[in-house]
Amino acid sequence: RELLILLRQAGCQKIFYGVDSLCEKVLYSVGRKYDPSLAMENLNLAVSLGIKTEMNIIIGFPGETERDRVETLKNSGRIHKDIDVVVNGLWILPGAEIYEMALRDGFNESYWLSEHEEAIPFYTGALSKDEMHGWIRRCESYFVLQQRVHK
């Protein structure tokens, strides 16, 4: 709270939060040891201080289930409707702990072992590429609808 107030007083106009998920199980499974309620509280506080606020949600963490994704959508109903939400699939980079988890789960690292011009591939875990993109679109539509209904 104190830091956000100081940021606003110093002229901060926008904050981008890498929240990743609003499902506690998912956050803890990838080493983010905080309760989603804390993230939602900070998001809402930033908006109340007049700071334009954006939140990033990621789909496709290893072990994430449909129930976890639905929990994130449900919890997002507790954030201020003026918060912009960006939804992405999970991009993983060599050297990261989650990359090693993905390799153990069968992630194909051929992208990193060759010349490449295409975008970094999503790690889709248990989802197919089509399912991943479907969930991203579903979440984006949900957030756009929520903002439209409440503005």
Side-chain angles (χ1 to χ4, degrees), residues 2 18 42 53 69 110 121 134:
E2 293 79 19
N42 286 318
T53 306
R69 291 184 288 277
S110 63

Side-chain angles (χ1 to χ4, degrees), residues 5-151:
I5 290 169
L6 288 171
L7 285 168
R8 184 62 184 140
Q9 289 171 346
C12 178
Q13 296 178 16
K14 184 174 183 177
I15 295 179
F16 182 85
Y17 285 92
V19 173
D20 298 338
S21 178
L22 293 175
C23 173
E24 186 174 14
K25 181 193 112 191
V26 170
L27 290 171
Y28 273 72
S29 75
V30 295
R32 301 208 184 26
K33 308 283 192 238
Y34 63 86
D35 188 300
S37 295
L38 178 61
M40 291 181 277
E41 180 181 323
N42 286 318
L43 289 159
N44 291 331
L45 177 59
V47 170
S48 74
L49 293 170
I51 300 172
K52 182 155 177 52
T53 306
E54 197 169 291
M55 172 179 77
N56 184 57
I57 294 293
I58 295 175
I59 301 296
F61 281 110
E64 180 184 78
T65 65
E66 181 171 340
R67 175 182 236 158
D68 300 331
R69 291 184 288 277
V70 169
E71 182 177 332
T72 288
L73 289 175
K74 284 181 181 177
N75 281 336
S76 70
R78 296 171 44 201
I79 64 170
H80 195 282
K81 303 309 176 202
D82 288 339
I83 295 171
D84 292 326
V85 181
V86 176
V87 183
N88 283 299
L90 178 62
W91 292 343
I92 56 175
L93 302 173
E97 185 177 331
I98 200 164
Y99 187 83
E100 299 305 318
M101 287 173 58
L103 288 176
R104 289 191 297 272
D105 287 345
F107 179 68
N108 181 352
E109 66 179 337
S110 63
Y111 174 87
W112 301 109
L113 301 174
S114 64
E115 297 292 323
H116 48 268
E117 295 181 15
E118 67 277 3
I120 296 173
F122 288 141
Y123 171 64
T124 59
L127 299 171
S128 71
K129 189 180 261 188
D130 288 341
E131 289 171 321
M132 167 73 74
H133 288 288
W135 268 100
I136 291 170
R137 284 190 304 276
R138 179 178 176 183
C139 291
E140 289 172 337
S141 297
Y142 177 83
F143 292 119
V144 167
L145 178 63
Q146 290 296 75
Q147 288 177 332
R148 189 175 299 138
V149 167
H150 293 91
K151 283 190 177 182

